[in-house]
Amino acid sequence: MNEYSKGLLWVISGPMFAGKTSELIRLYDRTIFANQKSIIVKPSLDNRYSDSEVATHDNRTRKSFIVNNIEELNEIVAKELPENVFIDEAQFFSSKILNVIDDLRKLGINVYCSLLNQTSEGHAFPFMDKKQDVSSLLVKADHIETFSAVCPVCGKNATKTYKIESSGNEVDVGGSNKYEPRCYEHWEPKK
Ligand SMILES: [Zn+2]
């Protein structure tokens, strides 16, 4: 375990409500405990629960940098000089995140990302500029943790995100009012 070189890319992948952000925080806490310099970054688009902290669905929080644009991360890194960068909700940035992560890794910085791997329609989640999707990030990873939630219908592992009410927009930020996790059997894409 942890026998990776510097410049590690570690991805936490899965549907909504699977504990991805909790896992990101757990890994962040480990680096802090190991006296490493680490920062958490999240997109400003996701302003659920808190404006200045990264929050899980059960309200565990840590200070985070909220950026509008992933390229702002370069300025933060130049100032903070972290050994580890934790990116929450990576799917909500533009595809420029791929280059930004490549550059961080070349500097020897470890990058940990949590991401929603697929839309409620079951497609690879597109980055905000729609030029690429998260599969381009997943293939670059040294390590992928795939998390599942619990299907409220049958109690089995939920690997899908189900849209409760269709807003007509496949990529739609929201919490438990709009989405719930479902197993494959109880998930169906909304048209
Ligand atoms: Zn089910």
Side-chain angles (χ1 to χ4, degrees):
M1 185 61 179
N2 275 339
E3 295 297 324
Y4 290 102
S5 69
K6 284 184 180 179
L8 164 69
L9 175 58
W10 183 298
V11 174
I12 301 157
S13 169
M16 290 178 74
F17 313 108
K20 302 186 301 295
T21 300
S22 296
E23 174 66 1
L24 193 78
I25 289 176
R26 188 185 74 86
L27 295 171
Y28 168 83
D29 286 350
R30 281 172 61 96
T31 65
I32 298 302
F33 192 70
N35 288 317
Q36 296 173 12
K37 172 82 178 176
S38 301
I39 60 170
I40 303 176
V41 180
K42 58 179 273 191
S44 62
L45 185 66
D46 178 15
N47 56 4
R48 291 177 296 186
Y49 306 134
S50 167
D51 279 342
S52 59
E53 295 177 314
V54 60
T56 62
H57 291 288
D58 59 356
N59 263 329
R60 299 174 61 204
T61 58
R62 295 294 179 282
K63 182 183 180 303
S64 65
F65 292 91
I66 298 176
V67 297
N68 293 303
N69 180 321
I70 192 63
E71 285 146 308
E72 293 170 52
L73 178 53
N74 292 325
E75 295 160 35
I76 295 168
V77 165
K79 199 182 288 182
E80 301 286 327
L81 302 174
E83 296 165 76
N84 308 289
V85 171
F86 292 80
I87 304 174
D88 194 27
E89 304 273 23
Q91 78 282 354
F92 286 142
F93 286 109
S94 81
S95 63
K96 286 175 182 155
I97 192 173
L98 298 166
N99 292 330
V100 170
I101 289 173
D102 282 347
D103 290 345
L104 292 175
R105 298 179 71 191
K106 283 176 198 157
L107 293 171
I109 296 170
N110 303 315
V111 180
Y112 297 80
C113 293
S114 77
L115 57 84
L116 191 56
N117 59 351
Q118 50 189 303
T119 66
S120 57
E121 306 222 337
H123 302 134
F125 209 98
F127 288 117
M128 288 293 104
D129 57 0
K130 304 280 199 291
K131 288 183 180 167
Q132 299 199 63
D133 59 50
V134 296
S135 60
S136 303
L137 181 49
L138 285 160
V139 294
K140 287 172 177 281
D142 296 303
H143 182 84
I144 300 171
E145 289 183 299
T146 302
F147 277 58
S148 62
V150 177
C151 177
V153 181
C154 66
K156 291 180 181 155
N157 288 339
T159 57
K160 302 286 185 184
T161 301
Y162 178 79
K163 195 168 198 174
I164 298 166
E165 75 179 65
S166 181
S167 70
N169 187 354
E170 186 174 355
V171 175
D172 189 6
V173 182
S176 59
N177 57 327
K178 287 182 187 166
Y179 297 98
E180 64 185 28
R182 290 282 181 95
C183 71
Y184 181 74
E185 191 183 355
H186 293 120
W187 164 79
E188 59 181 85
K190 294 255 175 171
K191 291 286 177 250

